[in-house]
Amino acid sequence: QLRQPAFPHITVMTTKFAAQRDQLEDLCKRRFFYRQAFEIYGGTAGFYTYGPPGCAVKNNLIALWRKHFVIEEGLMEVEDTNIMPHPVLKASGHVDRFSDFMVQDVKDKQKFYRADKLLEDHMEALMAAKETTPEQKEEYEKVKNSADAYSKADLHAALQKYGVKSPDTKNDLTEPYEFNLMFPTPIGPSGLVQGYLRPETAQGIFLNFPFCYEQNGSQVPFGVAQIGKAFRNEIAPR
């Protein structure tokens, strides 16, 4: 038998939200909580602009975050740069390992997909099929839950086993390959200093740890907090 969810009320709420998501998104856009950025020029997937009510909500959330973590919990707040040079992110492992596996339509070279998400969506479709047996549903559930931890070889084998095709054209897909999610950018007029838009805010905390330690009278324990933008060049942004 399939294991029952630990929190069934959450499952019900999630189902209701999914059923009404389109209406909610339409309402938020009409009232300008947010809209797709540069929409009058066609827009670009993954980029959004906050309108006045959206900015107000965001600023209220930041104020609550700062009140709790900085004022009440006493964490030390820092604000680091959005651009970081290559050595920093090389040392942290982001240059070599901050990647997702991507597949491409073998005929339409303009169609790219994140391999694990494609596999997860395919498993959901198989689980929803009427002819799927309980044993198969359990198998598909296990694959879906493990997809984001699969190696390149595991992903390729699963995509082949379950006959996953391009969702747009039904063409075959290439083998998975790594795609680094950082936005590269040159630093300086010569363009010879390689930099990246920071992929997460944690690096600024690690880099400034010794200075915060000194600021805290060279005593431990202490905490450091940072809030700000991080940038990821997603394979399939929404």
Side-chain angles (χ1 to χ4, degrees), residues 71-223:
I71 298 175
E72 296 176 0
E73 295 295 323
L75 272 63
M76 306 175 71
E77 185 176 1
V78 299
E79 183 176 340
D80 208 22
T81 64
N82 286 333
I83 296 177
M84 293 187 168
H86 181 274
V88 171
L89 295 166
K90 176 69 174 178
S92 68
H94 286 82
V95 171
D96 298 320
R97 297 189 297 275
F98 194 71
S99 305
D100 282 335
F101 288 111
M102 181 166 67
V103 290
Q104 188 177 11
D105 189 309
V106 295
K107 293 183 179 179
D108 189 340
K109 300 300 182 181
Q110 298 302 312
K111 296 193 179 300
F112 304 89
Y113 307 96
R114 181 171 160 179
D116 60 333
K117 294 300 182 185
L118 201 60
L119 181 60
E120 289 173 4
D121 291 344
H122 191 70
M123 291 300 102
E124 287 186 353
L126 291 178
M127 286 189 288
K130 293 182 179 179
E131 64 273 13
T132 301
T133 66
E135 292 77 15
Q136 288 175 320
K137 186 170 291 188
E138 185 173 6
E139 175 189 344
Y140 301 151
E141 182 75 27
K142 288 180 179 178
V143 174
K144 176 178 178 289
N145 292 337
S146 303
D148 63 350
Y150 277 174
S151 66
K152 174 182 176 181
D154 292 335
L155 271 174
H156 182 56
L159 292 170
Q160 292 291 310
K161 177 180 178 180
Y162 297 105
V164 182
K165 304 289 185 180
S166 167
D168 298 306
T169 65
K170 307 307 178 186
N171 294 329
D172 290 337
L173 299 165
T174 63
E175 290 189 20
Y177 58 96
E178 289 187 355
F179 174 75
N180 192 284
L181 301 176
M182 292 194 295
F183 283 101
T185 181
I187 299 174
S190 69
L192 299 178
V193 179
Q194 178 64 59
Y196 302 90
L197 294 179
R198 66 181 183 187
E200 56 188 22
T201 56
Q203 290 312 118
I205 294 175
F206 302 144
L207 290 168
N208 293 288
F209 177 87
F211 310 116
C212 290
Y213 174 69
E214 182 180 286
Q215 185 75 17
N216 199 50
S218 300
Q219 295 181 345
V220 292
F222 66 92

Side-chain angles (χ1 to χ4, degrees), residues 29 34-38 44-50 229 237-238:
K29 291 176 182 177
Y34 71 89
R35 293 196 72 90
Q36 190 170 44
F38 12 95
T44 300
F47 293 83
Y48 293 90
T49 297
Y50 289 113
K229 293 183 182 293
R238 297 180 180 180

